[in-house]
Amino acid sequence: MGTEKTDPRIFKPFGKPQITPFGVLLHGLKPVLQDARGRKILVLGIFNTVCTVILLVWCKTTNSIGLTAYTYLALFDILSLATCLLSLWVEQQKPNVVFTFGYERFEVLSVFASTILAQLSSLFIVKESLERFLQQPEIHLERFLPALALAFFCHLVVCYGMNNRAFNHVTAASGSSWLQEHVAEMSQSICHIIPGLSTFLLPRVNPFVLLGWTGGATLFASHLLIEVYNYSLADTIAAIFIAMMVCVTMFPMSVYSGRILLQTTPSYIIGQLDKCLREASTLDGVLEFRNECFWTLAFGDLSGTVHVRVRRDANEQLVLAHLVDRLSNLVSDLTIQVFKDEWAWSTTTLQVLNESALKFPSLAPSITSTISLTTRSPVTTGYPSLYGGNSQVQKIPPPQTLNPPSFSPTSWNQQFGFSSTYLSPASARQPLDVKTKNYSPSQGINPPPL
């Protein structure tokens, strides 16, 4: 059989892609791995992945749902390491035509996805634990303590072995969970006795480290109950408790990152922005602000746009400099559109008016032709204009002659039943007798009879 030859002229719209998703991933990781921090994170990721696989195998042999819930923290640590690698990649990227504000929002999306997945895994743990209440299996304790020690060690290595910029910002900016609040109260009491521990316990303990300690202590207590009293239900209760702690710890972070993805303005920034705008409105030449829009672009980055209407005699450069000076401390990416309060004459319109050969023929002997000039040329300082200037010369057609309705005394008398009286200039100065309608100086004005 001969080999089939393909015609090069045949167009194949669904051909095999040249770059696979795995190739795109490797292409993006090459510049990240050139950094020493990237290589360190990659080593931690490989170590944590191997430990997670071992822990999942031991969870099957021990038949412990509590140990499985604690092992899911190691899976969250893998997602945290991936977020840290993404932060390094974002630092090396620059804004382009597609992503004009850069790639910082990828970090926000990664944190949001990681926290949501951690909460979903907790819900699955709660569902399986409720099933175990009906039929509690036997827990094997041969590898329970080694697995607990390995999971605790891996979690602490990830928490203290890297500097995760995204999660550090979220833990500092988001609200505290009820677990952190209760531990903070106890930490203040301990620091009064031992002041040297204030650097580790105050103002708030790292929520991930706190989650590791409380989860490990819960599993150790359940191990003692099972070994001493053969109370296997303690493992199920420990699993539910760990799942609840994971949910309440991750929920404030999900809310904080979700609000950033929705492009909302932080509540603590609104008052400062209003104060800055009120102070800027008192500047000489500023009339009003229009279309103020401020939103959170990424962790710690606030973007905003504002239109400023100024007087015709105002200095746009001076107004722009004052506004940037007042708002740049709060808004990192600021766009200001300055335009004057006037209808300026464009260059095209002035050329048309200066041409001496341009004549407009008269439309009628008693009608004068009218030129309507419409232009809008806002003054933009430092930023591209949002309005396009245009000029038009239009010849307005003569208005149609409207004949107003004529009213004569005869028509008024016929319509309303009045009798017309014509007064001469001499008789108009005489007093009026309402009763007799006679105009005599001697009679004066007689009132009508009642």
Side-chain angles (χ1 to χ4, degrees), residues 91-107:
E91 290 180 0
Q92 301 175 357
Q93 303 302 315
K94 296 181 180 180
N96 51 29
V97 179
V98 180
F99 298 95
T100 55
F101 289 99
Y103 296 84
E104 285 79 6
R105 292 182 69 84
F106 284 13
E107 294 180 273

Side-chain angles (χ1 to χ4, degrees), residues 22-33 85 89 92-93:
F22 185 73
V24 174
L25 181 62
L26 291 179
H27 179 72
L29 284 177
K30 284 182 179 180
V32 176
L33 296 180
L85 278 177
W89 180 79
Q92 301 175 357
Q93 303 302 315

Side-chain angles (χ1 to χ4, degrees), residues 238-370:
I240 295 177
F241 183 70
I242 293 174
M244 291 177 58
M245 288 191 300
V246 170
C247 287
V248 299
T249 303
M250 301 297 176
F251 181 74
M253 304 179 191
S254 300
V255 172
Y256 179 77
S257 56
R259 287 177 177 175
I260 296 178
L261 293 176
L262 293 176
Q263 296 184 349
T264 58
T265 306
S267 57
Y268 63 91
I269 291 290
I270 295 177
Q272 302 179 30
L273 288 175
D274 291 340
K275 180 181 178 181
C276 292
L277 290 177
R278 284 195 303 268
E279 293 177 355
S281 62
T282 60
L283 296 176
D284 185 24
V286 176
L287 297 179
E288 65 172 342
F289 295 103
R290 296 179 180 177
N291 303 326
E292 305 97 340
C293 183
F294 300 95
W295 70 95
T296 308
L297 179 64
F299 295 134
D301 294 336
L302 191 68
S303 299
T305 59
V306 61
H307 296 175
V308 185
R309 186 169 67 93
V310 299
R311 290 200 314 263
R312 286 175 289 182
D313 58 343
N315 189 351
E316 310 90 21
Q317 294 289 346
L318 183 61
V319 172
L320 180 62
H322 280 294
L323 290 176
V324 171
D325 181 64
R326 293 179 183 272
L327 295 176
S328 60
N329 295 330
L330 299 176
V331 185
S332 57
D333 194 341
L334 181 61
T335 303
I336 300 177
Q337 175 74 22
V338 181
F339 60 97
K340 286 189 174 182
D341 185 30
E342 66 176 351
W343 294 90
W345 297 80
S346 63
T347 306
T348 307
T349 305
L350 294 177
Q351 292 178 357
V352 171
L353 294 179
N354 291 332
E355 290 180 357
S356 59
L358 182 61
K359 297 182 179 180
F360 296 89
S362 59
L363 302 177
S366 60
I367 299 176
T368 306
S369 60
T370 306

Side-chain angles (χ1 to χ4, degrees), residues 365-379:
S366 60
I367 299 176
T368 306
S369 60
T370 306
I371 301 176
S372 175
L373 298 176
T374 304
T375 180
R376 184 168 188 173
S377 179
V379 179

